[in-house]
């Protein structure tokens, strides 16, 4: 049995053991299993390399990944709203979208932020049903709503973008309501 194992430094002992076991006759299935386990270990540990960053790097990575989670899901820290059913959720979302447009046009930043947070709570309550119904539309709504929420939190508003996102969300929720609820 011939095997080629590509490794990066420090793997000679493992390869020597595999060659020895094949000479002794432990068996091909066991040798293949061992080779797979070693390969997975190298992949998982990053081929045995380390950046030497130690503990401070790991805590820095955790902080960065926490920030990425918040940026990736602006709804993570917002509790789900209590709604009677999905149809009520869609109606509330449409109402809030209209009110948000009016708040943006009137430069009512605090009101807009409050409305955006309420929209996120409703989204958290209905997103499971939307995702189960149509995962691709769920993803589009999630992205558009996330962008709208982030734009309302910005220190300087791009009113044109906010109004475009608001209108796009209004149409998307209206279409999704018709598809989902008939």
């Amino acid at each position: 049995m011939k095997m080629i194992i590509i490794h990066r430094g420090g793997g000679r002992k493992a390869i020597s053991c595999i060659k020895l076991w094949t000479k002794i006759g432990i068996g091909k299935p066991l040798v293949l299993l061992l080779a797979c386990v070693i390969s997975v270990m190298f992949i998982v540990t990053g081929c045995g390399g380390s950046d030497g960053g130690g503990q401070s790097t790991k805590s820095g990575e955790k902080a960065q990944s926490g920030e990425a989670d918040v940026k990736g899901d602006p709804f993570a820290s917002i509790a789900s709203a209590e709604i009677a059913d999905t149809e009520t959720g869609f109606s509330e979302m449409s109402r809030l979208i209209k009110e948000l447009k009016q708040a943006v046009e009137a430069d009512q930043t605090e009101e807009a932020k409050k409305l955006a947070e309420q929209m996120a709570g409703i989204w958290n309550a209905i997103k499971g049903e939307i995702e189960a119904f149509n995962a691709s539309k769920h993803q589009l709504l999630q992205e558009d709503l996330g962008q709208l929420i982030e734009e309302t939190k910005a220190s300087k508003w791009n009113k044109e973008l906010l109004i475009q996102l608001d209108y796009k969300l209004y149409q998307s929720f209206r279409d999704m309501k018709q598809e989902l609820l008939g």
Side-chain angles (χ1 to χ4, degrees), residues 23-94:
K23 287 181 183 177
I24 294 174
I26 288 184
K28 290 181 183 179
L30 184 58
V31 171
L32 288 173
L33 177 64
L34 181 62
C36 289
V37 168
I38 291 171
S39 299
V40 168
M41 285 176 36
F42 281 132
I43 291 170
V44 169
T45 61
C47 296
S50 77
D51 60 358
Q55 190 67 16
S56 63
T57 302
K58 289 180 182 178
S59 64
E61 288 172 359
K62 287 179 184 176
Q64 288 177 352
S65 70
E67 290 171 8
D69 289 344
V70 171
K71 287 182 182 176
D73 188 7
F75 317 106
S77 63
I78 299 171
S80 295
E82 293 186 28
I83 56 170
D85 56 13
T86 305
E87 187 172 354
T88 304
F90 276 105
S91 298
E92 280 296 303
M93 187 65 83
S94 295

Side-chain angles (χ1 to χ4, degrees), residues 75 78 93 95-121 145-159 161-163 166 169:
F75 317 106
I78 299 171
M93 187 65 83
R95 180 187 62 79
L96 290 171
I97 290 171
K98 289 177 187 177
E99 288 181 18
L100 180 70
K101 180 179 179 277
Q102 293 171 353
V104 168
E105 289 173 339
D107 288 326
Q108 298 173 334
T109 56
E110 292 305 313
E111 179 68 17
K113 289 177 185 179
K114 187 171 68 170
L115 292 168
E117 189 169 319
Q118 290 174 1
M119 289 167 63
L145 187 57
Q147 186 179 4
L148 180 79
I149 290 170
E150 287 188 21
E151 288 295 322
T152 59
K153 291 179 181 179
S155 58
K156 186 176 179 185
W157 277 3
N158 180 346
K159 286 174 74 170
L161 177 62
L162 280 168
I163 291 171
D166 189 83
L169 280 169

Side-chain angles (χ1 to χ4, degrees), residues 126-167:
I126 64 174
K127 70 181 178 181
E129 289 186 48
I130 294 172
E131 185 174 25
F133 180 72
N134 189 329
S136 62
K137 286 192 179 180
H138 166 268
Q139 185 64 32
L140 289 172
L141 286 169
Q142 172 100 0
E143 290 170 4
D144 290 343
L145 187 57
Q147 186 179 4
L148 180 79
I149 290 170
E150 287 188 21
E151 288 295 322
T152 59
K153 291 179 181 179
S155 58
K156 186 176 179 185
W157 277 3
N158 180 346
K159 286 174 74 170
E160 185 177 318
L161 177 62
L162 280 168
I163 291 171
Q164 286 176 354
L165 285 169
D166 189 83
Y167 184 68

